[in-house]
Amino acid sequence: MLNYFSSNFSLGILGGGQLGKMMLYETRKYDIKTRVLDPNPEAPCKIACDHFTTGDLMDYDTVVNFGRKVDVLTFEIEGVNVAALKQLEQEGIKTWPSADTLEKIQNKGIQKNFYKEHQIPTADFQVFKTKNDLLEALKTEKINLPFVWKSTTGGYDGKGVSVIKSQKDLQELSDGECLVEDLIPFKNELAVIVARSVSGEVKTYPVVEMEFHPTANQVEYVICPARIEDKVAKKARELAVKVSQAFEHVGLLAVEMFQTEEDEILVNEVAPRPHNSGHYSIEASYTNQFEQQIRAILDLPLGNTESKVGGIMVNLVGDAEHEGEVIYKNIEQIMKMPGVTPHIYGKKITRPFRKMGHVTIVNEDLAEARRIAEEVKNSIKVISKE
Amino acid sequence: MLNYFSSNFSLGILGGGQLGKMMLYETRKYDIKTRVLDPNPEAPCKIACDHFTTGDLMDYDTVVNFGRKVDVLTFEIEGVNVAALKQLEQEGIKTWPSADTLEKIQNKGIQKNFYKEHQIPTADFQVFKTKNDLLEALKTEKINLPFVWKSTTGGYDGKGVSVIKSQKDLQELSDGECLVEDLIPFKNELAVIVARSVSGEVKTYPVVEMEFHPTANQVEYVICPARIEDKVAKKARELAVKVSQAFEHVGLLAVEMFQTEEDEILVNEVAPRPHNSGHYSIEASYTNQFEQQIRAILDLPLGNTESKVGGIMVNLVGDAEHEGEVIYKNIEQIMKMPGVTPHIYGKKITRPFRKMGHVTIVNEDLAEARRIAEEVKNSIKVISKE
């Protein structure tokens, strides 16, 4: 085994956002040297890594030159130059998840076809090269309203995804390659994070549940464990493992799923990295997702994925009415509540719906955590000065 | 309230060792700007703070100049220039714990006299200006063997403390001001961390117990909660609060205590900062000691001090036979054990008995945690390359 701890070993991270920042808490804990590449010179990872480089993650030369300076390379965002990763792998630099795996996930069309080929249950879909092709298919009734539209590339945080119910909705869609999926009437939206190490050790985290706002179509709470039957949870964890194995994925894979009215589990999509649905783990789990990611990609033994206590996560997004230098209004009020931990990502400017942080609520009693989570949600506001 | 989060507010930390490093995980989590001063340019805090300054913590001008750049100042080590802190306080820079409190704790003679004045139970003692005065007192039987000898200043990690049983032991003692204490036959050595905020909110952590090696006189395990009767635990927590109030202490105060054969609780000594006996809290507590320190000194609401699970801490000290570039032998073996988290402080060179890191073992069942802790202790070795 390589000596990672207080040694000259160096881990490279492509992307310097909040996921990278939270991963750096763990590399600091283990005293593992890090280099981070991000286009934003003020990225949340700017401090706490050993070397920060400003540069374009999609630029071949930038990524190759960065990667040559590290021993193992990973990413905290899917939008990185895959050809560069392939070149680095050929040069003997370990890249986890691999370029090959990322390539299958990066494009949602390829991702969906992969599920089909591997008998992984997923909503029926069709891929269209252009918006015109999609409109043509509608006209000839090869597809019908309503459906879910997804851009095959570049989607993030709800961008690049729309539910299309009317001709009017169609007008808003941008051009470019896209995916049309059946709209699944689901009971629950679930997620399972799978950790798979270089040598193939596999562990799953408990199933989490996204609780939606009763009227606005927006996730309000990520709840661990999901309030579902054990047999459904078991099925979801098994399916998540199957997906991870099929991709020969190394590292964390967040598998988002639908539980249908008939208790079928369908894979919605995956993220090959630590994920918003695993943030609760920092406070609730024996091994949080960021530490687990480090363990998996460095081929260290995986840690215990079970929870010490129930956990709920609430995203802190910028208020719709505010843009400017951020203020976390009433943060001291939520800090009074038991088991409440705010995480502030370090973005100076708030914008409507920008992800600025999250809050974790832990409690032995999940129902009590849920009650406190609602209080948190009703108290804190991400606004701007004046 | 001041706006600390993603703002221009800046917290200064005097000392850049492992305690500072673990505090920085929390300032990063809250996106609070930090400046750190330490004499060692390779100190563990070197990265992850916003500004690192190399300089002497005992030098008046260095500390004053550093302090003038921050809004609130704290320290992670007692050996700092108190006159400089007083000057900064006069200039309106908040210093927590205050210069006045630190002054009473920094010198162990003053600290012991303070306990006497405030009716805080502690072992009987005498202070001597020189080694000669001590020898004279022995000759005239004002004191008798055996006793505990402590240097009044500069003691740290067991340095500056000796149990004197014979004339031969006496010869080893250095000159300078010292304290002679009755040797207390104790059942348990306990500690309680008290958090007290600027506005006077007070919370105590559960009592922890130091378990000693059966033959070597060395703490092997810090165990939370202590395996003692509830009424003894209650007494210890109440006494710790009394000590914190008496010092008008702001921030964390670690109160080390003896439980005598008669279940009396005597204060041994205090540390006005996060403490080794609270490291278990990172994994076991709802609010870890480092986050609590930030909350207390910034006058934020204190967090829940109770534990999610049982916690045991094992120090990782350099092997007696090794000096040189560090290797953590068998670290991957302990990482396989459930609920085990190593913390590596980031010191490149190991030396006999140097504190290089610690390991936390958490489990719902404290007896099981204790069993695993022994396995950890018997597996990992801090050695040097060849």
Side-chain angles (χ1 to χ4, degrees):
Chain A
M1 199 194 69
L2 267 165
N3 176 28
Y4 304 117
F5 309 91
S6 297
S7 76
N8 289 320
F9 171 88
S10 166
L11 172 69
I13 305 173
L14 297 170
Q18 61 261 24
L19 299 174
K21 182 188 170 194
M22 291 185 268
M23 213 185 296
L24 293 181
Y25 302 159
E26 308 305 318
T27 57
R28 293 296 295 136
K29 187 168 85 184
Y30 286 162
D31 197 42
I32 293 171
K33 277 206 181 47
T34 49
R35 284 179 178 266
V36 174
L37 178 69
D38 196 272
N40 176 5
E42 297 295 312
C45 282
K46 188 191 56 174
I47 63 172
C49 58
D50 290 82
H51 293 275
F52 182 81
T53 309
T54 308
D56 183 352
L57 298 168
M58 291 304 287
D59 182 69
Y60 179 87
D61 288 331
T62 303
V63 173
V64 168
N65 289 332
F66 175 81
R68 282 177 181 153
K69 292 183 190 127
V70 303
D71 300 295
V72 172
L73 187 62
T74 190
F75 49 83
E76 56 106 57
I77 186 168
E78 290 92 321
V80 302
N81 189 302
V82 172
L85 297 189
K86 287 188 176 174
Q87 175 61 29
L88 289 164
E89 285 176 350
Q90 271 179 10
E91 294 178 16
I93 289 148
K94 301 253 182 305
T95 301
W96 302 122
S98 70
D100 197 44
T101 299
L102 177 58
E103 200 169 32
K104 287 178 192 133
I105 292 172
Q106 218 175 30
N107 179 298
K108 286 183 184 171
I110 298 173
Q111 194 188 127
K112 287 287 281 191
N113 275 310
F114 182 87
Y115 298 145
K116 210 168 158 182
E117 285 158 27
H118 287 79
Q119 286 86 47
I120 290 163
T122 190
D124 282 341
F125 68 98
Q126 287 189 58
V127 177
F128 298 100
K129 282 283 167 209
T130 64
K131 186 172 171 179
N132 264 343
D133 290 358
L134 185 163
L135 295 175
E136 192 61 35
L138 250 183
K139 217 179 282 174
T140 57
E141 294 190 353
K142 280 181 191 149
I143 56 172
N144 296 295
L145 290 174
F147 58 76
V148 177
W149 173 93
K150 290 179 179 175
S151 168
T152 57
T153 55
Y156 199 73
D157 280 356
K159 278 172 230 154
V161 179
S162 301
V163 176
I164 307 299
K165 293 182 177 163
S166 65
Q167 292 293 332
K168 190 177 152 284
D169 292 344
L170 276 170
Q171 289 167 20
E172 317 268 297
L173 294 180
S174 55
D175 203 355
E177 197 185 63
C178 66
L179 179 74
V180 163
E181 270 186 3
D182 285 359
L183 184 64
I184 302 291
F186 57 83
K187 245 195 236 177
N188 281 305
E189 195 167 330
L190 307 173
V192 171
I193 292 176
V194 186
R196 192 165 172 274
S197 75
V198 177
S199 51
E201 187 186 2
V202 178
K203 286 195 181 178
T204 56
Y205 280 84
V207 183
V208 301
E209 165 197 354
M210 325 306 180
E211 185 183 327
F212 284 72
H213 186 275
T215 54
N217 183 40
Q218 195 191 16
V219 177
E220 286 203 298
Y221 308 103
V222 175
I223 300 176
C224 180
R227 296 161 299 182
I228 55 174
E229 282 177 81
D230 285 352
K231 65 171 189 198
V232 177
K234 187 164 177 278
K235 202 166 159 184
R237 286 172 93 154
E238 283 169 0
L239 178 57
V241 169
K242 184 179 171 183
V243 176
S244 166
Q245 307 275 27
F247 281 120
E248 296 177 76
H249 188 268
V250 170
L252 295 193
L253 186 74
V255 184
E256 298 187 70
M257 295 175 282
F258 298 120
Q259 177 188 2
T260 68
E261 300 291 350
E262 295 77 30
D263 286 343
E264 258 193 304
I265 305 288
L266 303 179
V267 172
N268 178 19
E269 57 184 60
V270 299
R273 50 168 171 80
H275 190 251
N276 195 263
S277 66
H279 288 350
Y280 79 90
S281 67
I282 297 179
E283 284 81 15
S285 306
Y286 281 94
T287 311
N288 75 57
Q289 66 167 344
F290 301 100
E291 176 178 343
Q292 197 76 294
Q293 174 75 331
I294 304 290
R295 288 177 178 239
I297 64 178
L298 300 187
D299 209 17
L300 291 162
L302 297 181
N304 182 356
T305 54
E306 295 305 304
S307 294
K308 299 168 195 168
V309 282
I312 299 188
M313 195 276 303
V314 174
N315 283 313
L316 285 182
V317 301
D319 188 275
E321 309 296 320
H322 285 83
E323 177 150 2
E325 280 185 51
V326 67
I327 299 273
Y328 296 90
K329 197 184 162 191
N330 298 333
I331 189 167
E332 67 289 358
Q333 201 170 307
I334 70 164
M335 287 174 81
K336 274 183 202 160
M337 303 174 189
V340 169
T341 308
H343 290 254
I344 305 298
Y345 296 157
K347 303 171 185 175
K348 277 214 157 238
I349 302 298
T350 183
R351 284 193 290 269
F353 310 112
R354 189 176 192 196
K355 256 190 206 164
M356 301 296 288
H358 74 264
V359 181
T360 312
I361 301 96
V362 292
N363 203 292
E364 281 193 12
D365 175 358
L366 191 64
E368 176 67 5
R370 175 62 185 75
R371 200 192 56 69
I372 296 167
E374 196 158 328
E375 260 189 81
V376 166
K377 185 113 195 156
N378 293 336
S379 305
I380 191 165
K381 297 274 172 271
V382 183
I383 60 169
S384 60
K385 283 193 195 165
E386 309 313 297
Chain B
M1 199 194 70
L2 265 165
N3 176 28
Y4 304 117
F5 310 90
S6 298
S7 76
N8 289 321
F9 171 88
S10 165
L11 172 68
I13 304 174
L14 296 170
Q18 61 261 22
L19 298 174
K21 182 188 172 196
M22 290 185 268
M23 212 185 297
L24 292 181
Y25 303 159
E26 307 305 319
T27 56
R28 293 296 295 136
K29 187 168 85 184
Y30 286 162
D31 197 41
I32 293 171
K33 277 207 182 47
T34 49
R35 284 179 177 263
V36 174
L37 177 70
D38 195 273
N40 176 5
E42 297 296 313
C45 282
K46 188 190 55 173
I47 62 173
C49 59
D50 290 82
H51 294 274
F52 182 81
T53 309
T54 308
D56 183 352
L57 298 167
M58 291 304 286
D59 182 68
Y60 178 87
D61 288 332
T62 303
V63 173
V64 168
N65 288 332
F66 175 82
R68 283 178 182 154
K69 293 183 189 124
V70 304
D71 300 296
V72 172
L73 187 63
T74 189
F75 48 84
E76 56 107 56
I77 186 168
E78 290 92 320
V80 302
N81 190 301
V82 171
L85 297 190
K86 287 188 177 175
Q87 176 60 30
L88 290 164
E89 284 176 349
Q90 271 179 10
E91 294 179 16
I93 289 147
K94 301 252 181 306
T95 302
W96 303 122
S98 71
D100 196 44
T101 300
L102 176 58
E103 200 168 33
K104 287 178 192 135
I105 292 172
Q106 219 176 27
N107 180 297
K108 286 184 186 172
I110 298 174
Q111 193 187 128
K112 287 287 281 191
N113 276 312
F114 183 86
Y115 298 145
K116 212 168 156 182
E117 286 158 27
H118 289 78
Q119 289 85 47
I120 290 163
T122 191
D124 281 341
F125 68 99
Q126 287 188 57
V127 177
F128 297 100
K129 282 284 167 208
T130 64
K131 186 172 172 178
N132 265 342
D133 289 357
L134 184 162
L135 295 175
E136 194 60 35
L138 248 182
K139 219 180 280 172
T140 56
E141 295 192 354
K142 281 183 190 144
I143 56 171
N144 295 297
L145 292 174
F147 58 76
V148 178
W149 173 93
K150 289 179 178 176
S151 167
T152 56
T153 54
Y156 199 73
D157 280 356
K159 279 171 229 153
V161 179
S162 302
V163 177
I164 307 299
K165 293 182 178 163
S166 66
Q167 291 293 333
K168 189 174 154 289
D169 292 344
L170 275 171
Q171 288 167 22
E172 317 268 298
L173 293 180
S174 56
D175 202 355
E177 197 186 60
C178 66
L179 179 72
V180 163
E181 270 186 2
D182 286 359
L183 184 64
I184 302 291
F186 57 83
K187 244 195 235 174
N188 280 304
E189 196 167 330
L190 307 173
V192 171
I193 292 176
V194 185
R196 191 163 172 276
S197 75
V198 177
S199 51
E201 186 185 3
V202 177
K203 287 195 181 180
T204 56
Y205 279 85
V207 184
V208 301
E209 165 197 354
M210 326 301 182
E211 186 183 325
F212 283 72
H213 186 276
T215 55
N217 183 38
Q218 197 191 16
V219 176
E220 286 204 297
Y221 308 104
V222 174
I223 301 177
C224 180
R227 297 160 299 182
I228 55 173
E229 282 177 82
D230 285 352
K231 64 170 188 197
V232 176
K234 189 165 175 276
K235 202 166 158 184
R237 286 172 93 154
E238 283 169 1
L239 178 57
V241 170
K242 185 179 172 184
V243 176
S244 166
Q245 307 275 29
F247 279 119
E248 295 177 76
H249 188 269
V250 169
L252 295 192
L253 186 73
V255 184
E256 298 188 70
M257 294 174 282
F258 299 120
Q259 177 188 2
T260 68
E261 300 292 348
E262 295 77 29
D263 286 345
E264 256 193 303
I265 305 287
L266 303 180
V267 172
N268 178 19
E269 58 185 59
V270 299
R273 50 169 170 80
H275 191 249
N276 195 263
S277 66
H279 288 351
Y280 78 90
S281 66
I282 297 179
E283 284 80 15
S285 306
Y286 282 94
T287 311
N288 76 56
Q289 66 167 343
F290 301 99
E291 178 178 342
Q292 197 76 291
Q293 174 75 331
I294 305 290
R295 287 176 178 240
I297 64 179
L298 299 188
D299 208 19
L300 290 162
L302 297 180
N304 182 355
T305 54
E306 295 306 303
S307 294
K308 298 168 194 169
V309 283
I312 299 189
M313 194 275 304
V314 173
N315 282 315
L316 285 181
V317 300
D319 187 276
E321 309 295 319
H322 285 85
E323 176 149 3
E325 278 185 52
V326 67
I327 299 272
Y328 296 89
K329 196 183 162 192
N330 297 333
I331 189 168
E332 67 288 0
Q333 202 169 306
I334 71 163
M335 287 175 79
K336 274 184 201 156
M337 302 173 190
V340 169
T341 308
H343 290 254
I344 306 298
Y345 295 157
K347 302 171 186 176
K348 278 214 158 239
I349 303 297
T350 182
R351 284 193 291 269
F353 310 111
R354 188 176 193 198
K355 255 189 207 167
M356 301 296 287
H358 74 264
V359 181
T360 312
I361 301 94
V362 292
N363 203 291
E364 281 193 12
D365 175 358
L366 191 64
E368 176 67 4
R370 175 63 184 75
R371 201 191 57 68
I372 297 168
E374 194 158 331
E375 260 190 80
V376 166
K377 186 112 194 156
N378 293 336
S379 304
I380 190 164
K381 297 273 172 272
V382 183
I383 61 169
S384 61
K385 285 189 192 165
E386 301 322 291

